[in-house]
Short mmCIF file of all heavy atoms in Angstrom, two decimals:
data_model
loop_
_atom_site.label_atom_id
_atom_site.label_comp_id
_atom_site.label_asym_id
_atom_site.label_seq_id
_atom_site.Cartn_x
_atom_site.Cartn_y
_atom_site.Cartn_z
N THR W 245 4.34 -6.41 -160.97
CA THR W 245 5.30 -6.43 -162.08
C THR W 245 6.72 -6.42 -161.54
O THR W 245 7.57 -7.19 -162.01
CB THR W 245 5.08 -5.22 -163.00
OG1 THR W 245 3.70 -5.09 -163.24
CG2 THR W 245 5.83 -5.39 -164.29
N SER W 246 6.99 -5.55 -160.56
CA SER W 246 8.38 -5.52 -160.07
C SER W 246 8.70 -6.83 -159.35
O SER W 246 9.84 -7.30 -159.41
CB SER W 246 8.64 -4.33 -159.15
OG SER W 246 7.49 -3.76 -158.67
N TYR W 247 7.71 -7.44 -158.70
CA TYR W 247 7.96 -8.73 -158.04
C TYR W 247 8.32 -9.79 -159.08
O TYR W 247 9.25 -10.57 -158.90
CB TYR W 247 6.70 -9.14 -157.26
CG TYR W 247 6.87 -10.41 -156.48
CD1 TYR W 247 7.71 -10.46 -155.38
CD2 TYR W 247 6.19 -11.56 -156.84
CE1 TYR W 247 7.87 -11.64 -154.66
CE2 TYR W 247 6.34 -12.73 -156.12
CZ TYR W 247 7.18 -12.76 -155.04
OH TYR W 247 7.35 -13.92 -154.32
N ILE W 248 7.58 -9.79 -160.20
CA ILE W 248 7.87 -10.76 -161.27
C ILE W 248 9.27 -10.53 -161.82
O ILE W 248 10.07 -11.46 -161.97
CB ILE W 248 6.80 -10.66 -162.39
CG1 ILE W 248 5.46 -11.18 -161.89
CG2 ILE W 248 7.25 -11.43 -163.62
CD1 ILE W 248 4.32 -10.95 -162.83
N ILE W 249 9.61 -9.27 -162.09
CA ILE W 249 10.93 -8.96 -162.64
C ILE W 249 12.01 -9.33 -161.64
O ILE W 249 13.04 -9.91 -162.00
CB ILE W 249 11.01 -7.47 -163.03
CG1 ILE W 249 10.09 -7.20 -164.21
CG2 ILE W 249 12.43 -7.07 -163.35
CD1 ILE W 249 9.97 -5.74 -164.56
N GLY W 250 11.78 -9.02 -160.37
CA GLY W 250 12.76 -9.34 -159.34
C GLY W 250 13.02 -10.83 -159.28
O GLY W 250 14.16 -11.28 -159.22
N ASN W 251 11.96 -11.64 -159.35
CA ASN W 251 12.12 -13.08 -159.33
C ASN W 251 12.89 -13.57 -160.54
O ASN W 251 13.76 -14.44 -160.43
CB ASN W 251 10.75 -13.76 -159.29
CG ASN W 251 10.25 -13.92 -157.88
OD1 ASN W 251 10.73 -14.80 -157.18
ND2 ASN W 251 9.36 -13.06 -157.45
N MET W 252 12.55 -13.03 -161.71
CA MET W 252 13.21 -13.48 -162.92
C MET W 252 14.70 -13.12 -162.87
O MET W 252 15.55 -13.94 -163.23
CB MET W 252 12.54 -12.80 -164.12
CG MET W 252 12.87 -13.44 -165.42
SD MET W 252 12.51 -15.20 -165.48
CE MET W 252 10.97 -15.19 -166.35
N THR W 253 15.02 -11.92 -162.41
CA THR W 253 16.42 -11.51 -162.30
C THR W 253 17.16 -12.49 -161.39
O THR W 253 18.26 -12.94 -161.71
CB THR W 253 16.50 -10.09 -161.71
OG1 THR W 253 15.73 -9.22 -162.53
CG2 THR W 253 17.92 -9.60 -161.66
N ASN W 254 16.54 -12.80 -160.28
CA ASN W 254 17.13 -13.74 -159.33
C ASN W 254 17.45 -15.07 -160.00
O ASN W 254 18.56 -15.61 -159.86
CB ASN W 254 16.13 -13.95 -158.19
CG ASN W 254 16.73 -14.69 -157.04
OD1 ASN W 254 17.95 -14.81 -156.95
ND2 ASN W 254 15.90 -15.21 -156.17
N LEU W 255 16.49 -15.57 -160.79
CA LEU W 255 16.69 -16.86 -161.45
C LEU W 255 17.79 -16.77 -162.50
O LEU W 255 18.63 -17.66 -162.62
CB LEU W 255 15.38 -17.33 -162.09
CG LEU W 255 14.25 -17.63 -161.10
CD1 LEU W 255 12.93 -17.77 -161.82
CD2 LEU W 255 14.56 -18.90 -160.32
N VAL W 256 17.79 -15.67 -163.27
CA VAL W 256 18.79 -15.51 -164.33
C VAL W 256 20.19 -15.45 -163.74
O VAL W 256 21.12 -16.09 -164.22
CB VAL W 256 18.49 -14.25 -165.16
CG1 VAL W 256 19.67 -13.90 -166.05
CG2 VAL W 256 17.24 -14.44 -165.99
N VAL W 257 20.34 -14.67 -162.65
CA VAL W 257 21.65 -14.53 -162.02
C VAL W 257 22.16 -15.89 -161.57
O VAL W 257 23.32 -16.25 -161.79
CB VAL W 257 21.58 -13.54 -160.84
CG1 VAL W 257 22.86 -13.59 -160.02
CG2 VAL W 257 21.33 -12.14 -161.33
N HIS W 258 21.25 -16.69 -160.97
CA HIS W 258 21.64 -18.00 -160.48
C HIS W 258 22.07 -18.93 -161.63
O HIS W 258 23.07 -19.62 -161.55
CB HIS W 258 20.48 -18.62 -159.72
CG HIS W 258 20.86 -19.78 -158.88
ND1 HIS W 258 21.55 -19.64 -157.70
CD2 HIS W 258 20.67 -21.10 -159.04
CE1 HIS W 258 21.75 -20.82 -157.17
NE2 HIS W 258 21.23 -21.73 -157.97
N TRP W 259 21.26 -18.92 -162.71
CA TRP W 259 21.55 -19.77 -163.86
C TRP W 259 22.92 -19.53 -164.44
O TRP W 259 23.63 -20.47 -164.78
CB TRP W 259 20.58 -19.44 -164.99
CG TRP W 259 19.35 -20.20 -165.03
CD1 TRP W 259 19.11 -21.42 -164.47
CD2 TRP W 259 18.16 -19.82 -165.69
NE1 TRP W 259 17.84 -21.79 -164.74
CE2 TRP W 259 17.24 -20.83 -165.48
CE3 TRP W 259 17.79 -18.72 -166.42
CZ2 TRP W 259 15.96 -20.77 -166.00
CZ3 TRP W 259 16.54 -18.65 -166.94
CH2 TRP W 259 15.61 -19.66 -166.72
N THR W 260 23.19 -18.25 -164.68
CA THR W 260 24.34 -17.92 -165.50
C THR W 260 25.64 -17.96 -164.72
O THR W 260 26.70 -17.84 -165.30
CB THR W 260 24.17 -16.53 -166.12
OG1 THR W 260 23.92 -15.62 -165.05
CG2 THR W 260 23.04 -16.50 -167.10
N SER W 261 25.54 -18.12 -163.37
CA SER W 261 26.75 -18.00 -162.59
C SER W 261 27.77 -19.07 -162.95
O SER W 261 28.97 -18.81 -162.96
CB SER W 261 26.43 -18.04 -161.10
OG SER W 261 25.85 -19.26 -160.77
N ARG W 262 27.31 -20.29 -163.28
CA ARG W 262 28.24 -21.35 -163.62
C ARG W 262 28.97 -21.06 -164.93
O ARG W 262 30.20 -21.17 -165.01
CB ARG W 262 27.51 -22.70 -163.71
CG ARG W 262 28.28 -23.79 -163.00
CD ARG W 262 27.58 -25.10 -162.97
NE ARG W 262 28.49 -26.16 -163.31
CZ ARG W 262 28.55 -26.76 -164.49
NH1 ARG W 262 27.71 -26.42 -165.44
NH2 ARG W 262 29.43 -27.70 -164.72
N THR W 263 28.20 -20.66 -165.95
CA THR W 263 28.80 -20.30 -167.23
C THR W 263 29.81 -19.17 -167.03
O THR W 263 30.90 -19.17 -167.60
CB THR W 263 27.71 -19.85 -168.22
OG1 THR W 263 26.73 -20.88 -168.30
CG2 THR W 263 28.28 -19.58 -169.58
N ARG W 264 29.42 -18.19 -166.22
CA ARG W 264 30.31 -17.08 -165.88
C ARG W 264 31.66 -17.55 -165.37
O ARG W 264 32.70 -17.17 -165.87
CB ARG W 264 29.66 -16.27 -164.74
CG ARG W 264 28.79 -15.19 -165.18
CD ARG W 264 29.64 -13.96 -165.39
NE ARG W 264 29.14 -13.19 -166.49
CZ ARG W 264 28.06 -12.44 -166.43
NH1 ARG W 264 27.37 -12.35 -165.31
NH2 ARG W 264 27.68 -11.76 -167.48
N ASN W 265 31.62 -18.42 -164.35
CA ASN W 265 32.85 -18.92 -163.76
C ASN W 265 33.69 -19.63 -164.79
O ASN W 265 34.90 -19.46 -164.87
CB ASN W 265 32.53 -19.89 -162.62
CG ASN W 265 32.00 -19.17 -161.42
OD1 ASN W 265 32.20 -17.97 -161.30
ND2 ASN W 265 31.33 -19.88 -160.55
N PHE W 266 33.02 -20.46 -165.60
CA PHE W 266 33.73 -21.20 -166.63
C PHE W 266 34.45 -20.24 -167.58
O PHE W 266 35.64 -20.38 -167.83
CB PHE W 266 32.73 -22.07 -167.40
CG PHE W 266 33.33 -22.78 -168.55
CD1 PHE W 266 34.22 -23.83 -168.34
CD2 PHE W 266 33.06 -22.39 -169.85
CE1 PHE W 266 34.79 -24.48 -169.41
CE2 PHE W 266 33.63 -23.04 -170.92
CZ PHE W 266 34.50 -24.09 -170.71
N ARG W 267 33.71 -19.24 -168.07
CA ARG W 267 34.30 -18.27 -168.99
C ARG W 267 35.47 -17.55 -168.35
O ARG W 267 36.51 -17.34 -168.98
CB ARG W 267 33.25 -17.24 -169.42
CG ARG W 267 32.31 -17.74 -170.46
CD ARG W 267 31.36 -16.63 -170.86
NE ARG W 267 32.06 -15.61 -171.61
CZ ARG W 267 32.14 -15.58 -172.93
NH1 ARG W 267 31.56 -16.50 -173.65
NH2 ARG W 267 32.79 -14.61 -173.54
N ASP W 268 35.31 -17.13 -167.11
CA ASP W 268 36.38 -16.39 -166.44
C ASP W 268 37.63 -17.24 -166.33
O ASP W 268 38.75 -16.77 -166.57
CB ASP W 268 35.92 -15.93 -165.05
CG ASP W 268 34.92 -14.80 -165.15
OD1 ASP W 268 34.71 -14.29 -166.27
OD2 ASP W 268 34.34 -14.43 -164.13
N THR W 269 37.44 -18.52 -165.97
CA THR W 269 38.59 -19.41 -165.84
C THR W 269 39.28 -19.59 -167.19
O THR W 269 40.50 -19.49 -167.29
CB THR W 269 38.12 -20.78 -165.30
OG1 THR W 269 37.26 -20.56 -164.20
CG2 THR W 269 39.29 -21.61 -164.88
N VAL W 270 38.47 -19.87 -168.22
CA VAL W 270 39.05 -20.08 -169.55
C VAL W 270 39.76 -18.82 -170.02
O VAL W 270 40.87 -18.87 -170.56
CB VAL W 270 37.97 -20.51 -170.56
CG1 VAL W 270 38.53 -20.53 -171.97
CG2 VAL W 270 37.41 -21.86 -170.21
N ARG W 271 39.16 -17.66 -169.80
CA ARG W 271 39.79 -16.42 -170.26
C ARG W 271 41.13 -16.21 -169.56
O ARG W 271 42.12 -15.86 -170.21
CB ARG W 271 38.87 -15.22 -170.00
CG ARG W 271 39.61 -13.89 -170.19
CD ARG W 271 38.69 -12.74 -170.31
NE ARG W 271 37.79 -12.92 -171.43
CZ ARG W 271 36.47 -12.82 -171.37
NH1 ARG W 271 35.91 -12.52 -170.23
NH2 ARG W 271 35.74 -13.00 -172.45
#
Side-chain angles (χ1 to χ4, degrees):
Chain W
T245 314
S246 17
Y247 184 68
I248 290 172
I249 292 173
N251 273 284
M252 196 55 100
T253 304
N254 191 15
L255 295 167
V256 167
V257 169
H258 195 74
W259 269 338
T260 54
S261 62
R262 224 176 135 257
T263 306
R264 270 273 145 75
N265 287 341
F266 175 71
R267 282 183 70 93
D268 287 352
T269 313
V270 172
R271 168 164 301 128

